[in-house]
Amino acid sequence: MKNPLTVNNIFVYCEISEEGKVADVSLQLLTKGRQLAGELGVKLEAVVIGSDLGDTVKEVKPYGVDILHLAEDKRLFPYTTLPHASIVSKLFKEREPEIALLGATPTGRDLAPRVASTLKCGLTADCTSLVFGDHHDKKRDVKYENLLYQIRPAFGGNIIATIINPDTRPQMATVREGVMKLEKVSAPKDPEVYNLNVEEYVNKGDFVIDIVERHIEEKKVNITGSQIIVSGGYGVGSAANFKLLYELADVLGADVGASRAAVDAGFTEHERQVGQTGVTVRPKLYIACGISGAVQHRAGMEHSAKIISINPDAEAPINQIADYAINGKVEEVLPKMIKYYRKYAK
Amino acid sequence: MSFRILVLVKQVPDTRNVGEDAMKADGTVNRGALPAIFNPEDMNALEMALKVKDYHPDTEVIVMTMGPTRAADIIRESMYRGADDGYLLTDRKFAGSDTLATSYTLAAGARKLQPFDVLIAGRQAIDGDTAQVGPQVAEKLKLPQITYAENIEKISKTKITVKRRLDRGVEEVAVKMPVVLTAHSSADPCRPRNAKRLLKFKNARTIGELQNETEDYTNMGNAKSVHKISEWTVDDLDINPENLGLQGSPTKVKKIENVVFKQKDSVKLSESDEDIEKLMKDLITSHVIG
Ligand SMILES: Cc1cc2nc3c(=O)[nH]c(=O)nc-3n(C[C@H](O)[C@H](O)[C@H](O)COP(=O)(O)OP(=O)(O)OC[C@H]3O[C@@H](n4cnc5c(N)ncnc54)[C@H](O)[C@@H]3O)c2cc1C
Ligand SMILES: Nc1ncnc2c1ncn2[C@@H]1O[C@H](COP(=O)(O)O)[C@@H](O)[C@H]1O
């Protein structure tokens, strides 16, 4: 079955999480895709590949998907590269999307390069911002309008690069969880649903990978959705001192985050790491305790609505983006914050 | 049993130790100020191959890199640690390659080195952090890929079993050979240099290096005993020049900027009781907390 529809829409590959639902990062990309599609005046399409997609339509509908492609087959979950790559590549060849977005998850980063290689198109990993812009190729005097500017940190986070794919389609990008906001549309319509005939999309040799065993742990810590984060750095000094952060978090109804230096020092677990190689957060309030504010850390928390920094070094870079810069030590300040919170909170 | 294993290694600027002097005044990176190192996860990849050789000593471990002449450093480094041989793909026409053009070139090199049983790349290179070249080489060679490999659990001439490291756990997968793996940083670290091998290979040179070192390289009588590191250019490979370098790269860098954060007018506070008390009161009344 070939869909008799117009081309040049925006596509999101929706990943099925370990829990069997559409992954948060994919819903965030639908939100972004919806916005981009609106700006271009095109439709938003999504493809979901898995083994039990009964609830999928319900899950993606609130994010404004116009056209939904479902590929359902027992062999398609858990994810393996080749069948997913074949389906996505073939679908993209048929639909010729203008833009294709995938989560920068282990799955997305396994799948996207394989698909980009098949389609011989450009791919930009780990984008932190996606906007439209123009381009003038001076050498050939060609003008481009509404190219996707794929903006990402490079060189260990020390510079920000804007990447474009002028001549190949789709313009493909991966984005990490938490980078894009999640927003439902106001009056979502039912998407047009196409059930793909999986046999027509996969190749015979695609099911060569045998999953012998899987041990997936339950998601224990996830601070990406937290409204208040008390985050600790190397300056907290010890795992014992980190308890103060948990205490404050407890009274505030907050979660605890950390810098990489704190995680490396063993003060807390990796799941809490905020930044370029950790999670991206955008809480109402971010309390940075003993964090210097290296670019790689700020990359993961600069969009917090309010930032409080606690640091005896007035010159610490974190203070540049702090709303309140407390010149002091964590050991001194946190107990006082707890005390006065208790005094005034009802 | 013996295997032929190809390892893709890359020389990268050490972006983990970017000091103040590494940034130019205009906000661009001064590559010259960054030491060139062996990409960390490629070391994990090399070790993964050498482990197979420990168990099956007739195994041949060959490293391959695409880069400028100085990238021969990491081929020698690989040989000090146990690799049998190395290939340098070097040509002006490769310059400016993005991951698609890079994987096209590396796949052409790998094809010339066929047959091999396993090709191992690092998961990602720290200069770009893209993690794209491994899967793209696999696609170009029409081979299955196993990304985030942590350990080769079992290997035979027909089948390999690999443990993969995922975000929240591990997965063990089996596949027929040949196959492409990408090594995760949680895999075993690479063994150190071996003193005997260091002596044996410290004079290993590519033809390009010999040309630089010797005024008249047609007269390299004294260099006869030197182990030659093979060097391949565009002409040695079965490739279409249109797919190489800048021309063969669909992605273009539009702009590079320094990281600038909007400086906020922050309220400066001390750790005194008065200041903290006022802060907490303000946060509660403005409903930021509470
Ligand atoms: C490629 C790459 C990726 C990276 N990814 C990340 C990432 O995702 N997340 C991340 O956080 N980092 C990341 N980093 C590391 C980053 O560059 C910094 O090294 C790290 O963020 C520093 O952590 P820190 O601020 O806790 O430690 P430090 O820089 O050591 O700062 C400690 C601070 O504590 C203050 N202090 C000391 N004593 C006290 C006290 N008693 N009370 C209060 N303050 C005190 C000090 O004045 C100082 O400002 C990455 C680096 C690279 C190269
Ligand atoms: N120029 C290159 N030469 C050899 N191997 C490379 C090169 N570029 C990338 N690779 C391999 O591909 C992996 C992933 O690289 P990247 O996609 O750049 O993150 C690296 O760890 C290397 O194993």
Side-chain angles (χ1 to χ4, degrees):
Chain A
M1 173 198 66
K2 188 155 162 46
N3 304 316
L5 291 154
T6 49
V7 291
N8 301 338
N9 288 336
I10 293 181
F11 241 95
V12 173
Y13 168 85
C14 289
E15 176 176 337
I16 297 293
S17 71
E18 295 294 345
E19 287 70 28
K21 300 208 303 204
V22 176
D24 289 346
V25 65
S26 305
L27 300 178
Q28 292 157 8
L29 288 178
L30 288 176
T31 303
K32 186 71 200 177
R34 180 71 264 159
Q35 180 215 329
L36 294 175
E39 286 175 34
L40 274 194
V42 300
K43 289 185 171 165
L44 176 63
E45 300 192 37
V47 53
V48 189
I49 303 173
S51 73
D52 180 12
L53 304 179
D55 291 332
T56 308
V57 181
K58 241 182 17 224
E59 289 168 34
V60 302
K61 180 181 164 184
Y63 303 94
V65 176
D66 298 306
I67 301 168
L68 179 63
H69 304 268
L70 298 178
E72 197 167 354
D73 187 304
K74 268 202 195 57
R75 299 166 296 173
L76 294 172
F77 186 89
Y79 167 88
T80 56
T81 313
L82 297 179
H84 281 243
S86 293
I87 294 170
V88 174
S89 302
K90 182 153 195 277
L91 191 60
F92 283 4
K93 273 182 201 160
E94 292 170 0
R95 310 285 306 153
E96 300 179 11
E98 182 69 16
I99 291 171
L101 307 176
L102 296 90
T105 57
T107 295
R109 300 187 96 206
D110 179 87
L111 176 65
R114 184 112 194 169
V115 170
S117 179
T118 303
L119 302 177
K120 300 190 176 52
C121 66
L123 168 64
T124 308
D126 286 351
C127 295
T128 50
S129 168
L130 298 167
V131 294
F132 288 116
D134 297 339
H135 177 61
H136 181 197
D137 182 337
K138 295 195 184 82
K139 233 160 104 197
R140 295 184 295 148
D141 195 27
V142 187
K143 291 202 170 103
Y144 299 85
E145 274 172 18
N146 290 329
L147 281 184
L148 186 67
Y149 282 10
Q150 302 155 45
I151 301 166
R152 73 181 301 257
F155 258 79
N158 295 283
I159 54 177
I160 300 288
T162 301
I163 312 287
I164 49 172
N165 313 334
D167 299 313
T168 58
R169 293 293 176 272
Q171 305 169 80
M172 269 179 94
T174 67
V175 179
R176 292 157 60 109
E177 180 173 358
V179 172
M180 300 298 171
K181 268 191 238 153
L182 188 65
E183 241 164 42
K184 295 185 177 167
V185 300
S186 51
K189 291 200 280 288
D190 281 324
E192 267 173 71
V193 179
Y194 292 91
N195 290 296
L196 305 179
N197 179 350
V198 172
E199 288 314 323
E200 283 177 17
Y201 282 80
V202 296
N203 301 313
K204 234 175 128 226
D206 282 350
F207 295 97
V208 285
I209 300 250
D210 237 350
I211 298 179
V212 186
E213 240 182 272
R214 301 185 92 223
H215 295 283
I216 303 296
E217 286 153 25
E218 253 178 69
K219 211 165 191 172
K220 279 176 292 205
V221 184
N222 182 4
I223 64 168
T224 51
S226 311
Q227 287 300 305
I228 305 175
I229 295 177
V230 182
S231 199
Y234 194 68
V236 173
S238 65
N241 279 356
F242 234 80
K243 290 217 181 78
L244 273 176
L245 276 75
Y246 284 99
E247 262 175 60
L248 177 62
D250 209 34
V251 287
L252 296 182
D255 278 311
V256 171
S259 74
R260 180 153 108 182
V263 171
D264 288 351
F267 298 169
T268 188
E269 60 264 64
H270 177 74
E271 285 73 14
R272 299 187 187 278
Q273 184 175 313
V274 173
Q276 196 193 322
T277 43
V279 295
T280 302
V281 295
R282 39 172 84 241
K284 275 198 310 192
L285 176 65
Y286 190 88
I287 307 179
C289 310
I291 293 176
S292 63
V295 281
Q296 298 91 354
H297 186 79
R298 287 186 288 178
M301 46 68 72
E302 58 176 311
H303 294 300
S304 305
K306 278 226 171 342
I307 298 169
I308 299 177
S309 145
I310 305 168
N311 200 311
D313 173 11
E315 303 299 311
I318 188 85
N319 287 350
Q320 293 169 6
I321 58 164
D323 297 274
Y324 299 91
I326 305 175
N327 191 279
K329 292 200 175 108
V330 172
E331 318 76 289
E332 290 289 326
V333 176
L334 292 195
K336 288 180 188 171
M337 288 178 92
I338 296 170
K339 179 170 135 195
Y340 291 111
Y341 178 79
R342 289 208 166 114
K343 182 166 164 191
Y344 293 106
K346 270 138 228 142
Chain B
M1 213 169 9
S2 72
F3 301 92
R4 207 166 129 87
I5 306 180
L6 227 56
V7 184
L8 300 183
V9 296
K10 185 180 188 188
Q11 193 179 46
V12 291
D14 190 357
T15 55
R16 296 167 311 173
N17 295 305
V18 179
E20 294 294 310
D21 60 327
M23 299 301 286
K24 292 192 208 153
D26 63 358
T28 59
V29 176
N30 179 10
R31 275 177 184 256
L34 297 179
I37 59 164
F38 201 122
N39 182 49
E41 282 178 315
D42 301 352
M43 285 269 195
N44 299 107
L46 177 61
E47 176 63 25
M48 205 171 272
L50 294 175
K51 278 236 163 61
V52 176
K53 193 176 163 76
D54 290 342
Y55 288 105
H56 306 284
D58 292 334
T59 293
E60 199 183 354
V61 174
I62 302 164
V63 298
M64 179 166 74
T65 190
M66 177 184 103
T69 301
R70 64 168 183 281
D73 282 345
I74 60 165
I75 294 183
R76 274 186 293 278
E77 188 64 47
S78 306
M79 288 171 154
Y80 302 157
R81 291 167 194 254
D84 297 287
D85 207 352
Y87 289 79
L88 173 69
L89 313 189
T90 191
D91 200 304
R92 276 230 182 85
K93 297 202 180 80
F94 297 153
S97 294
D98 69 359
T99 64
L100 200 67
T102 301
S103 58
Y104 179 78
T105 309
L106 291 170
R111 239 179 246 119
K112 190 160 168 164
L113 288 168
Q114 265 165 351
F116 55 83
D117 302 288
V118 187
L119 183 150
I120 315 181
R123 175 188 53 148
Q124 70 187 39
I126 60 168
D127 54 348
D129 291 327
T130 73
Q132 285 166 200
V133 169
Q136 297 194 322
V137 167
E139 195 279 331
K140 301 265 179 268
L141 296 170
K142 301 287 170 250
L143 294 179
Q145 70 197 44
I146 301 177
T147 47
Y148 326 120
E150 187 169 272
N151 193 41
I152 297 178
E153 304 283 321
K154 276 184 243 158
I155 184 167
S156 74
K157 279 310 267 186
T158 51
K159 196 171 158 190
I160 186 168
T161 308
V162 176
K163 185 160 101 192
R164 302 177 73 210
R165 173 59 51 182
L166 303 176
D167 263 0
R168 283 158 54 197
V170 292
E171 186 178 84
E172 203 172 288
V173 299
V175 67
K176 66 178 175 42
M177 308 254 259
V179 63
V180 171
L181 311 184
T182 74
H184 191 264
S185 56
S186 63
D188 286 332
C190 194
R191 63 198 60 193
R193 297 172 173 186
N194 170 299
K196 275 199 205 124
R197 298 186 66 90
L198 179 62
L199 277 178
K200 185 166 166 204
F201 292 112
K202 73 168 192 257
N203 291 322
R205 291 288 181 275
T206 66
I207 187 79
E209 287 180 303
L210 288 174
Q211 285 170 6
N212 292 344
E213 285 169 15
T214 326
E215 296 286 359
D216 177 9
Y217 62 86
T218 53
N219 181 20
M220 291 189 306
N222 55 352
K224 253 194 205 123
S225 60
V226 167
H227 178 97
K228 286 213 190 60
I229 297 174
S230 308
E231 193 176 290
W232 285 343
T233 66
V234 169
D235 298 333
D236 297 302
L237 299 169
D238 179 19
I239 42 186
N240 177 352
E242 276 175 23
N243 296 337
L244 300 177
L246 215 47
Q247 192 189 5
S249 298
T251 57
K252 314 276 177 220
V253 178
K254 166 94 182 148
K255 198 163 64 177
I256 296 275
E257 292 162 290
N258 205 351
V259 182
V260 261
F261 290 94
K262 251 196 264 136
Q263 175 114 20
K264 284 190 192 164
D265 289 325
S266 47
V267 181
K268 308 252 182 297
L269 301 173
S270 76
E271 58 182 9
S272 69
D273 273 89
E274 299 75 63
D275 277 9
I276 307 297
E277 180 167 9
K278 179 165 184 322
L279 169 69
M280 297 314 277
K281 228 156 101 182
D282 286 354
L283 291 175
I284 292 170
T285 35
S286 59
H287 300 290
V288 175
I289 55 175

